[in-house]
């Protein structure tokens, strides 16, 4: 196992992680950032971001994260690929994080910005057909279903955005909504409702994804009537929300009932001194790129102040 000491360690490369890296590097804290499994985070699998201030015409999510990354690199942040596989925060003066099971980092402060990951329905057929017809990213995989019929499950902004995206590529999009209304914002709903090749199946759930080697259909059940309908489709997209990436912090940092990290209100401070949390990993309410970036800034400032106070105490 290789070993290294760092001042500020940042875990995660979404808007929160990169913003923390921008601020920490500009404060001469020499931050080291590990990307996690999905470099650039969730925005790299979204389409256009239209609500981030400063981009009046919108910006492609992937491009936005390249811009964030370049900005962090410009100020000297050490940006690396790698995944935190274990942590030991029992000594707040030597916060231990293992990267890829083979590199040990002792950090003076840690900023956790590991974000959240797509949720799945939990059907065995969903796992069976993952990468052969089942996907949680329409923007990544929609291209493979050009002129075909597809299903998308979910009724939030993501599902609406992805349904609209798929409708431009595919022949027909069936949107499976488990209630008689959608959670998505009105403007996103309107877009979906006004798209002729999107058919919404209300009060409906998926019983099974059908096929032999790849997806050939989906059995959809109306929850109210119990009636089932087999749809002939080639692609099955899941857009039902996310789960925070906090498994390695279980039993180490306090979390809410859904696994989101708890921070002291109005700050990024966790219960452990020197450990801060930013972005979706601690926010199940707002979950926006702009709020994640804002909280990444807060975490870097909190870390800077924590380190400065610690240094003063050590000098006395
Ligand atoms: P949400 O949590 O908002 O929505 C999840 C949707 O999936 C809900 O409609 C939910 O149904 C449904 N769902 C959950 N579990 C199941 C299940 N097992 N079976 C069927 N349906 C299920 O997640 P999103 O990813 O859509 O959005 C997350 C956040 O990101 C939101 O704050 C959203 O506003 C934001 N966002 C903004 C965008 C933009 O502005 N461009 C684009 C994308 C996301 P139910 O409603 O019944 O609970």
């Amino acid at each position: 196992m290789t070993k290294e000491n760092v001042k500020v360690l940042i875990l995660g490369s979404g808007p929160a992680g990169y913003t923390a890296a921008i601020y920490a590097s500009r404060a001469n804290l020499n931050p080291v950032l590990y990307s996690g499994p999905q470099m650039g985070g969730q925005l790299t699998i979204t389409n256009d971001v239209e609500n981030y201030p400063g981009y009046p015409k919108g910006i492609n999510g992937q491009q936005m994260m390249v811009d964030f990354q370049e900005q962090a690199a410009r100020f000297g942040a050490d940006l690396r690929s790698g995944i935190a596989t274990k942590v030991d925060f029992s000594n707040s003066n030597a916060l231990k994080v293992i990267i890829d099971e083979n590199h040990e980092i002792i950090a003076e402060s840690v900023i956790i910005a590991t974000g959240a990951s797509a949720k799945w329905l939990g059907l065995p057929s969903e796992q069976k057909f993952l990468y052969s017809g089942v996907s949680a990213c329409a923007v990544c995989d929609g291209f493979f279903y050009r002129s075909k019929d597809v299903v998308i499950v979910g009724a939030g902004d993501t599902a609406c955005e992805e349904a609209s995206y798929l409708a431009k590529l595919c022949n027909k999009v069936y949107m499976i909504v488990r209630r008689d209304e959608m959670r998505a914002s009105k403007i996103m709903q309107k877009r979906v409702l006004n798209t002729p090749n999107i058919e919404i199946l209300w009060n409906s759930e998926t019983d099974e994804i059908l096929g032999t080697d790849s997806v050939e259909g989906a059995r959809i059940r109306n929850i109210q009537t119990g009636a089932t309908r087999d749809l002939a489709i080639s692609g099955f997209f899941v857009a039902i929300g996310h789960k925070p990436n906090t498994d390695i912090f279980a039993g180490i940092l306090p979390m809410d009932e859904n696994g989101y990290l708890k921070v002291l209100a109005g700050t990024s401070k966790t219960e452990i001194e020197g450990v801060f949390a930013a972005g979706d990993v601690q926010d199940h309410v707002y979950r926006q790129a702009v709020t994640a970036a804002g909280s990444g800034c807060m975490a870097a400032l909190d870390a800077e102040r924590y380190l400065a106070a610690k240094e003063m105490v050590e000098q006395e």
Side-chain angles (χ1 to χ4, degrees), residues 51 121 155-158 161 178-179 183 240-242 287-288:
N51 50 12
L121 294 174
D157 281 334
T158 305
E161 187 182 73
R178 67 178 174 181
R179 292 188 289 138
R183 181 184 295 262
I240 60 167
H242 294 83
R287 297 182 294 185
Q288 299 301 299

Side-chain angles (χ1 to χ4, degrees), residues 42-43 46-51 119-122 153-162 176-185 187-188 191 204-206 238-242 280 284-289:
Q42 291 180 74
L43 278 182
T46 192
N47 198 357
D48 287 341
V49 180
E50 295 179 333
N51 50 12
K119 278 189 194 165
W120 297 99
L121 294 174
V153 182
D157 281 334
T158 305
C160 286
E161 187 182 73
E162 299 208 336
I176 314 300
V177 177
R178 67 178 174 181
R179 292 188 289 138
D180 59 2
E181 60 177 357
M182 289 194 207
R183 181 184 295 262
S185 54
I187 186 168
M188 304 287 254
R191 259 182 226 172
S204 295
E205 279 182 353
T206 309
V238 181
I240 60 167
H242 294 83
D280 287 11
H284 65 281
V285 179
Y286 300 105
R287 297 182 294 185
Q288 299 301 299

